[in-house]
Amino acid sequence: MVRIGAFLVGLFFAGWLLVSFLMGAAAYISEPPAPTVEHEFHLAPKHVDFSFDGPFGKYDKAQLQRGFQVFKEVCSACHSLKFVAFRDLEALGYNEAEVKAIAKQWAIKTPDVDPKTGEMTGRDPVPADHFPKPFANNVAAAAANNNAIPPDLSLMTKARHHGSAYVYSLLTGYREQPAELLKKFPDAKTPEGLHYNPYFANLNLAMAPPLTAEGQVTYGEGQPKPTVDQMAKDVAAFLTWTAEPKLENRRTAGLATIIFLLIATGLAYMSYQNIWADKKKKA
């Protein structure tokens, strides 16, 4: 009796879910949702090639150093890298002395406490420190950025779909609102203080175009010309490294694991054939 009751209760809920689904599908077909400006004018990230693409891709250390330079001279004024320490830069090809110099010359001091007075103070960062935040707190960050808090960029390329291409597209995607958009959605004009960018989720963001002109950052001798496109690509590569510093090791370990499993599978099959060959003949 209990089983019959449980079956009937389950059948009722299953039927109710089916009816709800059918009603929702019918409503969607008869009254489809109104198109939104974001749905029609938001663009997928541009296609861009990086050296670390694909299962055998590797980081280009020269590009990562250029990307770090762009971050240091342009992005670090507003954005933080709270999960990256200065000493991690050694993986980009900087030696210990260069890392110490970068940390000491960093424009933002590391918060500290004066052991004599107990008061908050600032000191020059050391290699063991993480990159200091550009603002003391979120209130100060919002006050300096049109009430928008600049996000931490440590894991940005993992937090966005096609993260590397997304960062590149966002940095190179600023433009005037298209006339078609304003004609179709006259109330969707970009508010004053915001900037139109079709690669951003809601099309308008508080960050002004950070890369505005060729030569904004000076690269060393023998490096590519620092065009806006090149700088955007370089900093996107650097932010991919901050999010996945062990990318190359992970791929190497994965490839070694696949090779091991293939060899082990072959050996296991040959062992099976050898052990059971006589048994099958006798059977």
mmCIF file of all heavy atoms in Angstrom, residues 199-230:
data_model
loop_
_atom_site.group_PDB
_atom_site.id
_atom_site.type_symbol
_atom_site.label_atom_id
_atom_site.label_comp_id
_atom_site.label_asym_id
_atom_site.label_seq_id
_atom_site.Cartn_x
_atom_site.Cartn_y
_atom_site.Cartn_z
ATOM 1 N N TYR A 199 31.825 44.275 -26.752
ATOM 2 C CA TYR A 199 32.346 43.020 -26.213
ATOM 3 C C TYR A 199 32.106 42.897 -24.711
ATOM 4 O O TYR A 199 32.399 41.863 -24.112
ATOM 5 C CB TYR A 199 33.844 42.894 -26.520
ATOM 6 C CG TYR A 199 34.105 42.861 -28.006
ATOM 7 C CD1 TYR A 199 34.489 44.012 -28.689
ATOM 8 C CD2 TYR A 199 33.924 41.692 -28.733
ATOM 9 C CE1 TYR A 199 34.693 44.001 -30.058
ATOM 10 C CE2 TYR A 199 34.127 41.663 -30.104
ATOM 11 C CZ TYR A 199 34.511 42.821 -30.760
ATOM 12 O OH TYR A 199 34.698 42.804 -32.124
ATOM 13 N N PHE A 200 31.587 43.963 -24.108
ATOM 14 C CA PHE A 200 31.237 43.929 -22.690
ATOM 15 C C PHE A 200 29.794 43.456 -22.565
ATOM 16 O O PHE A 200 28.964 43.697 -23.436
ATOM 17 C CB PHE A 200 31.402 45.325 -22.075
ATOM 18 C CG PHE A 200 31.344 45.345 -20.580
ATOM 19 C CD1 PHE A 200 32.282 44.680 -19.818
ATOM 20 C CD2 PHE A 200 30.328 46.033 -19.924
ATOM 21 C CE1 PHE A 200 32.228 44.696 -18.435
ATOM 22 C CE2 PHE A 200 30.266 46.056 -18.546
ATOM 23 C CZ PHE A 200 31.214 45.384 -17.796
ATOM 24 N N ALA A 201 29.479 42.790 -21.442
ATOM 25 C CA ALA A 201 28.181 42.121 -21.305
ATOM 26 C C ALA A 201 26.995 43.049 -21.534
ATOM 27 O O ALA A 201 26.072 42.724 -22.277
ATOM 28 C CB ALA A 201 28.086 41.457 -19.934
ATOM 29 N N ASN A 202 26.998 44.234 -20.892
ATOM 30 C CA ASN A 202 25.849 45.137 -21.070
ATOM 31 C C ASN A 202 26.178 46.326 -21.979
ATOM 32 O O ASN A 202 25.488 47.340 -21.970
ATOM 33 C CB ASN A 202 25.342 45.642 -19.716
ATOM 34 C CG ASN A 202 26.371 46.492 -18.998
ATOM 35 O OD1 ASN A 202 27.437 46.793 -19.525
ATOM 36 N ND2 ASN A 202 26.058 46.893 -17.779
ATOM 37 N N LEU A 203 27.258 46.195 -22.748
ATOM 38 C CA LEU A 203 27.648 47.139 -23.805
ATOM 39 C C LEU A 203 28.265 48.433 -23.303
ATOM 40 O O LEU A 203 28.923 49.132 -24.087
ATOM 41 C CB LEU A 203 26.452 47.466 -24.711
ATOM 42 C CG LEU A 203 25.709 46.279 -25.328
ATOM 43 C CD1 LEU A 203 24.575 46.789 -26.223
ATOM 44 C CD2 LEU A 203 26.638 45.375 -26.095
ATOM 45 N N ASN A 204 28.075 48.789 -22.046
ATOM 46 C CA ASN A 204 28.600 50.053 -21.526
ATOM 47 C C ASN A 204 29.414 49.786 -20.265
ATOM 48 O O ASN A 204 28.953 49.080 -19.370
ATOM 49 C CB ASN A 204 27.455 51.020 -21.196
ATOM 50 C CG ASN A 204 26.572 51.295 -22.408
ATOM 51 O OD1 ASN A 204 27.055 51.749 -23.434
ATOM 52 N ND2 ASN A 204 25.287 51.009 -22.282
ATOM 53 N N LEU A 205 30.604 50.335 -20.192
ATOM 54 C CA LEU A 205 31.414 50.154 -18.992
ATOM 55 C C LEU A 205 32.074 51.458 -18.588
ATOM 56 O O LEU A 205 32.259 52.366 -19.402
ATOM 57 C CB LEU A 205 32.463 49.062 -19.193
ATOM 58 C CG LEU A 205 33.644 49.304 -20.125
ATOM 59 C CD1 LEU A 205 34.714 48.244 -19.866
ATOM 60 C CD2 LEU A 205 33.249 49.242 -21.585
ATOM 61 N N ALA A 206 32.420 51.504 -17.304
ATOM 62 C CA ALA A 206 32.961 52.743 -16.752
ATOM 63 C C ALA A 206 34.410 52.971 -17.154
ATOM 64 O O ALA A 206 34.873 54.111 -17.172
ATOM 65 C CB ALA A 206 32.847 52.712 -15.227
ATOM 66 N N MET A 207 35.129 51.911 -17.480
ATOM 67 C CA MET A 207 36.550 52.063 -17.814
ATOM 68 C C MET A 207 36.710 52.743 -19.165
ATOM 69 O O MET A 207 36.208 52.256 -20.181
ATOM 70 C CB MET A 207 37.236 50.693 -17.827
ATOM 71 C CG MET A 207 38.718 50.760 -18.158
ATOM 72 S SD MET A 207 39.550 49.145 -18.052
ATOM 73 C CE MET A 207 38.860 48.314 -19.496
ATOM 74 N N ALA A 208 37.413 53.853 -19.175
ATOM 75 C CA ALA A 208 37.721 54.509 -20.435
ATOM 76 C C ALA A 208 38.724 53.664 -21.207
ATOM 77 O O ALA A 208 39.403 52.811 -20.626
ATOM 78 C CB ALA A 208 38.297 55.897 -20.163
ATOM 79 N N PRO A 209 38.841 53.865 -22.519
ATOM 80 C CA PRO A 209 39.811 53.080 -23.287
ATOM 81 C C PRO A 209 41.215 53.236 -22.706
ATOM 82 O O PRO A 209 41.773 54.351 -22.704
ATOM 83 C CB PRO A 209 39.725 53.691 -24.696
ATOM 84 C CG PRO A 209 38.375 54.311 -24.756
ATOM 85 C CD PRO A 209 38.082 54.793 -23.373
ATOM 86 N N PRO A 210 41.808 52.152 -22.177
ATOM 87 C CA PRO A 210 43.128 52.290 -21.551
ATOM 88 C C PRO A 210 44.265 52.381 -22.565
ATOM 89 O O PRO A 210 45.289 53.002 -22.300
ATOM 90 C CB PRO A 210 43.244 51.024 -20.705
ATOM 91 C CG PRO A 210 42.359 50.030 -21.381
ATOM 92 C CD PRO A 210 41.250 50.806 -22.011
ATOM 93 N N LEU A 211 44.089 51.749 -23.719
ATOM 94 C CA LEU A 211 45.114 51.788 -24.768
ATOM 95 C C LEU A 211 44.590 52.679 -25.885
ATOM 96 O O LEU A 211 43.634 52.322 -26.571
ATOM 97 C CB LEU A 211 45.396 50.372 -25.278
ATOM 98 C CG LEU A 211 45.869 49.366 -24.212
ATOM 99 C CD1 LEU A 211 46.002 47.973 -24.817
ATOM 100 C CD2 LEU A 211 47.188 49.812 -23.597
ATOM 101 N N THR A 212 45.221 53.807 -26.050
ATOM 102 C CA THR A 212 44.663 54.813 -26.956
ATOM 103 C C THR A 212 45.547 55.176 -28.141
ATOM 104 O O THR A 212 45.056 55.732 -29.114
ATOM 105 C CB THR A 212 44.363 56.099 -26.168
ATOM 106 O OG1 THR A 212 45.579 56.552 -25.525
ATOM 107 C CG2 THR A 212 43.309 55.850 -25.099
ATOM 108 N N ALA A 213 46.844 54.892 -28.054
ATOM 109 C CA ALA A 213 47.715 55.351 -29.139
ATOM 110 C C ALA A 213 48.942 54.457 -29.255
ATOM 111 O O ALA A 213 49.395 53.853 -28.276
ATOM 112 C CB ALA A 213 48.155 56.797 -28.895
ATOM 113 N N GLU A 214 49.470 54.383 -30.454
ATOM 114 C CA GLU A 214 50.702 53.633 -30.673
ATOM 115 C C GLU A 214 51.843 54.295 -29.902
ATOM 116 O O GLU A 214 51.944 55.519 -29.838
ATOM 117 C CB GLU A 214 51.022 53.618 -32.180
ATOM 118 C CG GLU A 214 52.299 52.882 -32.528
ATOM 119 C CD GLU A 214 52.561 52.869 -34.016
ATOM 120 O OE1 GLU A 214 51.594 52.699 -34.796
ATOM 121 O OE2 GLU A 214 53.737 53.035 -34.409
ATOM 122 N N GLY A 215 52.686 53.481 -29.297
ATOM 123 C CA GLY A 215 53.813 54.006 -28.541
ATOM 124 C C GLY A 215 53.457 54.448 -27.136
ATOM 125 O O GLY A 215 54.289 55.057 -26.451
ATOM 126 N N GLN A 216 52.255 54.134 -26.696
ATOM 127 C CA GLN A 216 51.852 54.495 -25.332
ATOM 128 C C GLN A 216 52.775 53.830 -24.313
ATOM 129 O O GLN A 216 53.065 54.378 -23.255
ATOM 130 C CB GLN A 216 50.400 54.060 -25.096
ATOM 131 C CG GLN A 216 49.806 54.495 -23.766
ATOM 132 C CD GLN A 216 48.325 54.158 -23.682
ATOM 133 O OE1 GLN A 216 47.673 53.856 -24.685
ATOM 134 N NE2 GLN A 216 47.777 54.203 -22.491
ATOM 135 N N VAL A 217 53.238 52.630 -24.642
ATOM 136 C CA VAL A 217 54.255 51.927 -23.865
ATOM 137 C C VAL A 217 55.443 51.711 -24.786
ATOM 138 O O VAL A 217 55.271 51.333 -25.945
ATOM 139 C CB VAL A 217 53.726 50.572 -23.352
ATOM 140 C CG1 VAL A 217 54.836 49.789 -22.674
ATOM 141 C CG2 VAL A 217 52.567 50.789 -22.386
ATOM 142 N N THR A 218 56.642 51.958 -24.294
ATOM 143 C CA THR A 218 57.838 51.822 -25.124
ATOM 144 C C THR A 218 58.455 50.449 -24.917
ATOM 145 O O THR A 218 58.886 50.112 -23.809
ATOM 146 C CB THR A 218 58.869 52.914 -24.773
ATOM 147 O OG1 THR A 218 58.265 54.202 -24.944
ATOM 148 C CG2 THR A 218 60.085 52.802 -25.675
ATOM 149 N N TYR A 219 58.476 49.658 -25.974
ATOM 150 C CA TYR A 219 59.107 48.343 -25.911
ATOM 151 C C TYR A 219 60.607 48.467 -26.164
ATOM 152 O O TYR A 219 61.073 49.441 -26.745
ATOM 153 C CB TYR A 219 58.495 47.405 -26.949
ATOM 154 C CG TYR A 219 57.093 46.936 -26.623
ATOM 155 C CD1 TYR A 219 56.281 46.375 -27.607
ATOM 156 C CD2 TYR A 219 56.571 47.034 -25.328
ATOM 157 C CE1 TYR A 219 54.997 45.935 -27.325
ATOM 158 C CE2 TYR A 219 55.289 46.598 -25.041
ATOM 159 C CZ TYR A 219 54.499 46.051 -26.039
ATOM 160 O OH TYR A 219 53.234 45.608 -25.748
ATOM 161 N N GLY A 220 61.329 47.450 -25.742
ATOM 162 C CA GLY A 220 62.778 47.456 -25.929
ATOM 163 C C GLY A 220 63.166 47.210 -27.379
ATOM 164 O O GLY A 220 62.336 46.902 -28.240
ATOM 165 N N GLU A 221 64.453 47.314 -27.641
ATOM 166 C CA GLU A 221 64.976 47.128 -28.990
ATOM 167 C C GLU A 221 64.730 45.686 -29.447
ATOM 168 O O GLU A 221 64.888 44.732 -28.690
ATOM 169 C CB GLU A 221 66.473 47.439 -29.004
ATOM 170 C CG GLU A 221 67.081 47.417 -30.389
ATOM 171 C CD GLU A 221 68.545 47.818 -30.382
ATOM 172 O OE1 GLU A 221 69.019 48.282 -29.327
ATOM 173 O OE2 GLU A 221 69.207 47.661 -31.417
ATOM 174 N N GLY A 222 64.341 45.545 -30.699
ATOM 175 C CA GLY A 222 64.110 44.221 -31.252
ATOM 176 C C GLY A 222 62.725 43.674 -31.002
ATOM 177 O O GLY A 222 62.401 42.571 -31.446
ATOM 178 N N GLN A 223 61.881 44.432 -30.301
ATOM 179 C CA GLN A 223 60.519 43.998 -30.002
ATOM 180 C C GLN A 223 59.548 44.550 -31.051
ATOM 181 O O GLN A 223 59.871 45.507 -31.764
ATOM 182 C CB GLN A 223 60.107 44.483 -28.609
ATOM 183 C CG GLN A 223 60.951 43.924 -27.473
ATOM 184 C CD GLN A 223 60.827 42.419 -27.351
ATOM 185 O OE1 GLN A 223 59.775 41.842 -27.597
ATOM 186 N NE2 GLN A 223 61.925 41.769 -26.974
ATOM 187 N N PRO A 224 58.359 43.969 -31.177
ATOM 188 C CA PRO A 224 57.385 44.483 -32.153
ATOM 189 C C PRO A 224 56.998 45.920 -31.852
ATOM 190 O O PRO A 224 57.158 46.414 -30.735
ATOM 191 C CB PRO A 224 56.182 43.541 -31.960
ATOM 192 C CG PRO A 224 56.718 42.332 -31.290
ATOM 193 C CD PRO A 224 57.870 42.795 -30.450
ATOM 194 N N LYS A 225 56.475 46.583 -32.865
ATOM 195 C CA LYS A 225 56.019 47.957 -32.698
ATOM 196 C C LYS A 225 54.833 47.965 -31.722
ATOM 197 O O LYS A 225 53.901 47.166 -31.856
ATOM 198 C CB LYS A 225 55.593 48.538 -34.043
ATOM 199 C CG LYS A 225 55.159 49.996 -33.993
ATOM 200 C CD LYS A 225 54.745 50.494 -35.363
ATOM 201 C CE LYS A 225 55.909 50.521 -36.316
ATOM 202 N NZ LYS A 225 55.518 51.141 -37.628
ATOM 203 N N PRO A 226 54.857 48.835 -30.716
ATOM 204 C CA PRO A 226 53.784 48.849 -29.696
ATOM 205 C C PRO A 226 52.509 49.524 -30.191
ATOM 206 O O PRO A 226 52.112 50.585 -29.707
ATOM 207 C CB PRO A 226 54.421 49.619 -28.540
ATOM 208 C CG PRO A 226 55.402 50.534 -29.186
ATOM 209 C CD PRO A 226 55.938 49.784 -30.386
ATOM 210 N N THR A 227 51.846 48.897 -31.140
ATOM 211 C CA THR A 227 50.539 49.382 -31.583
ATOM 212 C C THR A 227 49.497 49.019 -30.523
ATOM 213 O O THR A 227 49.746 48.191 -29.639
ATOM 214 C CB THR A 227 50.155 48.741 -32.923
ATOM 215 O OG1 THR A 227 50.074 47.316 -32.742
ATOM 216 C CG2 THR A 227 51.186 49.051 -33.991
ATOM 217 N N VAL A 228 48.328 49.623 -30.631
ATOM 218 C CA VAL A 228 47.250 49.291 -29.697
ATOM 219 C C VAL A 228 46.917 47.809 -29.781
ATOM 220 O O VAL A 228 46.732 47.125 -28.766
ATOM 221 C CB VAL A 228 46.003 50.154 -29.991
ATOM 222 C CG1 VAL A 228 44.807 49.651 -29.177
ATOM 223 C CG2 VAL A 228 46.277 51.617 -29.677
ATOM 224 N N ASP A 229 46.874 47.275 -30.992
ATOM 225 C CA ASP A 229 46.568 45.861 -31.189
ATOM 226 C C ASP A 229 47.617 44.978 -30.527
ATOM 227 O O ASP A 229 47.290 44.006 -29.852
ATOM 228 C CB ASP A 229 46.491 45.562 -32.685
ATOM 229 C CG ASP A 229 46.056 44.145 -32.972
ATOM 230 O OD1 ASP A 229 44.841 43.879 -32.974
ATOM 231 O OD2 ASP A 229 46.933 43.280 -33.184
ATOM 232 N N GLN A 230 48.896 45.322 -30.710
ATOM 233 C CA GLN A 230 49.981 44.524 -30.139
ATOM 234 C C GLN A 230 49.991 44.601 -28.620
ATOM 235 O O GLN A 230 50.170 43.589 -27.932
ATOM 236 C CB GLN A 230 51.330 45.003 -30.694
ATOM 237 C CG GLN A 230 52.522 44.159 -30.253
ATOM 238 C CD GLN A 230 52.474 42.753 -30.793
ATOM 239 O OE1 GLN A 230 52.318 42.532 -31.988
ATOM 240 N NE2 GLN A 230 52.594 41.775 -29.902
#
